[in-house]
Amino acid sequence: MGIDPALLEHRLDELYAIGAEPDGGAYRPLYGPAWATAVERVERWLKDAGLKPRRDAVGNLWGRAEGTDKGKSIVTGSHIDTVRHGGRLDGALGIVAGLTAVEALLKDKGKPRRPLEVVAICEEEGSRFATTFWGSRAITGAIDSVDGEIAAAMRERGLDPTKIASAAREDIDTFVELHIEQGAVLESSGTPLAVVSAIVGTAHLELCVTGRPDHAGTTPMDLRLDALAGAAAMVHAVESIAKSLGRPAVATVGKLSVEPDQINVVPGTVVFTVDLRHPDLAGRRALEERIRSLCGTISEERRLGLAIRSLQDKPPVAMHPDVRALLARAAKECGVQATELVSGAGHDAQILAARCKVGMLFVPSVGGRSHCPEEHTDPSHLELGVRVLVRALELLAY
Ligand code: HGY
Ligand code: MN
Ligand code: MN
């Protein structure tokens, strides 16, 4: 099947250049200028590939090839947004690979039997707004309200926040996503491809620690209610609890803000986030329970206030067995024995699973690095991933 690896790399480079940050990486936050430019570029590629482009009410970009039969669509793609200083492949690979695969199939095999679509999902990372999976939640009809900030940003892009419900799809049969592993399992085992078996469950918490702002020079140490010293003890507790549970439990404090954030003021308030993950729900609940309890103890011992808010609570999601088997067959027919792997990263497939059959392919990440400019995958692995994706889509849609 005619795939041009150089074109694949070139398109990935072109997308990576959109939202390039001066100190490395790319940043394409939802509805921002770089996001809009990237959507336009993919839209042009979709048209060049002979796909009919359509933007839905939240800005997901679809490219569709009608099938000879009617019926539900076969869809491939991924998210077009990035984290800050994001890498070249997270999300972008799934879009460019999906486009490349469908383009090759249309050229070599003509019109598919079933409708075949490529989707650039508008947002998955939650980098700009407190939304993760915004695009895929719209597709599954899971957005029931939109806050003012997002609504204003939508209107700026010519989107109508009152029309979000129209983005919901009931006519997708199967969604297949090619993604980088973003971890080091494939690289360390020397395996070039994995079929994802499940995606871990993720909980996001926000902890607000309240003390008392005081003068840094005149307040004795034993009289302080130092919110940052308390939060630091809690951050250490988060790490030690996850370490004591051992792999595959993980917990991350990724954001922390201090008020009044002045060199000569004892911090009065600290807000920080915790990202908790575990392949099974019981494991994740145990991790969360221990973190909540120890942070509570620390706040009492230090006479600090503590409010914990749940921002996200996603259970683990199994990939569809039929799709897993089909992806393994496609890999085998491309000459590779794919391994099976649980994804420690979240993906749109875990949301779309509510409405259709889903499956994912992983290619190795060099050094296991991702969500950083160092994100890299060997071009031969990218090409193999696309070839297996082509075969899988051919089995599904022709
Ligand atoms: O957080 C995640 O796992 C994904 O990259 N959004
Ligand atoms: Mn990501
Ligand atoms: Mn991703």
Side-chain angles (χ1 to χ4, degrees):
M1 196 73 68
I3 292 170
D4 177 354
L7 179 59
L8 177 79
E9 294 290 337
H10 176 72
R11 281 174 169 163
L12 288 168
D13 291 341
E14 255 194 75
L15 216 39
Y16 194 39
I18 300 172
E21 297 194 276
D23 42 353
Y27 184 41
R28 292 194 296 270
L30 178 65
Y31 303 138
W35 175 90
T37 306
V39 171
E40 275 156 26
R41 187 70 48 85
V42 173
E43 188 168 49
R44 197 179 73 207
W45 292 341
L46 292 173
K47 281 183 197 154
D48 294 349
L51 293 165
K52 185 166 166 290
R54 176 181 68 88
R55 297 183 191 206
D56 69 17
V58 289
N60 294 317
L61 172 65
W62 301 84
R64 182 180 169 95
E66 292 303 337
T68 50
D69 304 354
K70 295 292 163 230
K72 292 191 170 188
S73 289
I74 304 299
V75 178
T76 186
S78 191
H79 57 95
I80 200 162
D81 68 313
T82 71
V83 293
R84 287 177 181 75
H85 303 292
R88 174 175 176 262
L89 299 168
D90 179 8
L93 173 62
I95 295 169
V96 173
L99 166 69
T100 305
V102 170
E103 198 173 31
L105 283 165
L106 295 178
K107 214 181 278 170
D108 295 3
K109 294 192 64 83
K111 197 170 178 144
R113 183 171 51 80
R114 312 182 77 159
L116 190 49
E117 299 187 60
V118 181
V119 61
I121 295 171
C122 64
E123 192 273 356
E124 184 263 3
E125 298 286 6
S127 303
R128 180 178 179 191
F129 304 111
T131 61
T132 49
F133 305 114
W134 183 248
S136 44
R137 284 194 292 126
I139 295 167
T140 55
I143 294 177
D144 40 28
S145 67
V146 50
D147 83 17
E149 220 193 346
I150 301 177
M154 288 181 73
R155 278 190 286 271
E156 255 179 54
R157 289 290 160 216
L159 298 167
D160 179 352
T162 64
K163 299 275 187 301
I164 287 177
S166 69
R169 297 280 301 262
E170 306 276 359
D171 59 344
I172 298 174
D173 177 81
T174 302
F175 172 73
V176 178
E177 182 175 4
L178 174 62
H179 204 286
I180 48 173
E181 178 202 339
Q182 300 180 295
V185 174
L186 288 180
E187 185 185 55
S188 44
S189 62
T191 317
L193 193 82
V195 173
V196 175
S197 54
I199 297 172
V200 297
T202 300
H204 284 169
L205 305 177
E206 179 189 78
L207 284 81
C208 180
V209 184
T210 41
R212 192 186 60 214
D214 274 317
H215 195 294
T218 57
T219 313
M221 293 308 286
D222 59 313
L223 296 183
R224 294 180 177 206
L225 300 177
D226 184 331
L228 183 52
M234 293 176 197
V235 171
H236 184 260
V238 166
E239 184 197 41
S240 18
I241 289 169
K243 278 186 171 173
S244 68
L245 285 179
R247 294 183 184 190
V250 286
T252 311
V253 175
K255 292 172 77 169
L256 184 141
S257 63
V258 183
E259 285 296 329
D261 200 20
Q262 283 225 216
I263 192 165
N264 57 352
V265 181
V266 176
T269 307
V270 169
V271 179
F272 66 91
T273 61
V274 185
D275 174 307
L276 303 169
R277 306 195 193 195
H278 198 289
D280 70 63
L281 200 48
R284 215 213 52 221
R285 291 239 193 282
L287 177 61
E288 180 173 344
E289 193 29 57
R290 286 184 58 181
I291 285 172
R292 282 176 178 269
S293 147
L294 187 46
C295 288
T297 307
I298 291 168
S299 66
E300 280 154 27
E301 286 166 356
R302 290 170 173 261
R303 293 181 297 118
L304 297 169
L306 175 63
I308 302 179
R309 195 158 66 95
S310 171
L311 301 177
Q312 173 179 294
D313 185 340
K314 295 251 180 298
V317 174
M319 297 296 98
H320 195 283
D322 298 353
V323 187
R324 284 162 61 182
L326 179 128
L327 292 173
R329 175 186 161 191
K332 209 167 175 161
E333 291 177 3
C334 292
V336 63
Q337 186 60 41
T339 185
E340 279 230 330
L341 198 57
V342 173
S343 172
H347 297 287
D348 292 305
Q350 75 188 82
I351 305 300
L352 297 175
R355 280 284 172 96
C356 64
K357 288 181 274 185
V358 297
M360 289 190 75
L361 288 167
F362 272 178
V363 286
S365 294
V366 171
R369 301 295 308 280
S370 180
H371 279 189
C372 58
E374 292 74 18
E375 190 177 274
H376 180 66
T377 295
D378 186 289
S380 66
H381 291 154
L382 294 180
E383 186 185 344
L384 174 66
V386 176
R387 290 199 181 288
V388 175
L389 181 64
V390 168
R391 183 57 187 142
L393 294 174
E394 186 181 3
L395 290 168
L396 285 164
Y398 282 81

